Amino acid sequence: MQQSLRIFSGSSNPELAASICDKLGVELGRIKLSRFKSGEVYVHYEESIRNCDVFLVQSLAHPINELFVELLVMIDAAKRASARTINIVVPYYGYARQERKAAPREPISAKMLADVLTTVGATRVVTLDLHAAAIQGFFNIPVDHLTALDLISEHLCSQSLERPVVVSPDAGRASMAEKLANQLDSPFAIMIKKRPAHNESVITHVIGDVEGRTPIIIEDLIDTGTTIVNVVESLRERGSQPVIVCATHGLFSGSALNKLNHPFIREIVVTDSIKLSAEGMERLKVLSVAPMLAQAVRIIMDGGSIATLFKDAGI
């Protein structure tokens, strides 16, 4: 791997950045992140990055606007310090649920973020399980879109599941559900729902057989937990076994963890794409994406195909 590699962490998830560095056998870069009394972000790289390939690790989770501006300032500082390339590793890409206009006079915020990141100076994006894969097209720079699907399926395969069935909470997750079902050699089902308001959903139909089976709900993210609880209740009404909930990103906003402490939820599986503080949540299993992100960095630096990271090369 080239000696020009430098990895720095924003304040969103320094543990993940340190783990990536550990996997690569490099030291985490020295950077000072602070705030003025007015709240303005201050960044100072405490080592030379001239002609270096810089990787900035920052998940855009809560507080998203604060972390986004911090990332922008990190990018600008790296550009002005003559970094050769500025690669941003954004395990969770915030605002991704605003990727289209669902009503007149709405923004497409996911596109706006892409424009700003590119304009400021990012030269590559590495991200994980975008809410909509089409967001890759919002960037005019290379985007390496990784997935935690293999990681989740390996965890599930290590358990003895009684008659599993993979459940997509909506039509948008159907493709992911089908891929996971193929890896587990199990059937899959789709929930049909409507959304009366943001972070609210009502299950209207279930397509597929779930009675007597162990449902595995697959999502890209868990936010308030309301949708998941509705799906779990709907599955219980249809005679299923206790449910396993899987998602790449665990936002767990507000009282989500309390909601998910549900007697019919057997286990909740997420990754460390977002820094979690879930003491007392015994059924929460956190899988690390650091090895995958480290290997992606290695491929970017040494050359090769990102697709080799996945069982399904078509991902």
Side-chain angles (χ1 to χ4, degrees), residues 63-124:
I64 180 171
N65 300 324
E66 178 84 6
L67 296 176
F68 178 58
V69 173
E70 182 179 85
L71 178 59
L72 295 179
V73 178
M74 291 171 68
I75 294 170
D76 184 70
K79 181 174 68 174
R80 296 178 189 279
S82 300
R84 178 163 57 194
T85 61
I86 304 172
N87 309 272
I88 59 173
V89 181
V90 187
Y92 173 64
Y93 185 82
Y95 283 97
R97 285 172 285 179
Q98 300 183 48
E99 88 287 4
R100 60 188 176 86
K101 288 182 65 175
R105 299 174 297 282
E106 282 189 343
I108 303 180
S109 302
K111 166 63 173 166
M112 181 270 293
L113 259 67
D115 289 342
V116 174
L117 289 166
T118 306
T119 300
V120 169
T123 56
R124 177 184 294 272

Side-chain angles (χ1 to χ4, degrees), residues 148-263:
L149 199 62
D150 291 349
L151 193 63
I152 292 171
S153 72
E154 287 171 7
H155 170 73
L156 294 171
C157 286
S158 69
Q159 304 184 48
S160 297
L161 300 179
E162 181 183 351
R163 300 183 66 210
V165 57
V166 179
V167 178
S168 172
D170 55 41
R173 297 297 109 198
S175 177
M176 179 181 285
E178 184 179 10
K179 289 174 182 176
L180 181 58
N182 288 337
Q183 292 187 11
L184 299 178
D185 192 23
S186 72
F188 73 98
I190 301 176
M191 316 289 281
I192 305 300
K193 67 185 179 183
K194 60 181 179 180
R195 289 189 176 276
H198 292 300
N199 291 322
E200 293 183 18
S201 64
V202 177
I203 306 298
T204 59
H205 297 85
V206 178
I207 302 173
D209 180 23
V210 299
E211 185 175 357
R213 293 184 174 273
T214 301
I216 301 167
I217 300 172
I218 183 68
E219 270 280 25
D220 60 317
L221 62 89
I222 303 173
D223 191 355
T224 64
T226 302
T227 296
I228 296 297
V229 170
N230 288 343
V231 172
V232 169
E233 289 290 351
S234 182
L235 290 169
R236 179 162 67 171
E237 290 171 2
R238 288 163 173 80
S240 79
Q241 296 293 320
V243 176
I244 297 174
V245 179
C246 302
T248 302
H249 312 294
L251 288 172
F252 300 132
S253 302
S255 60
L257 286 175
N258 289 332
K259 291 180 185 177
L260 294 169
N261 192 21
H262 191 286

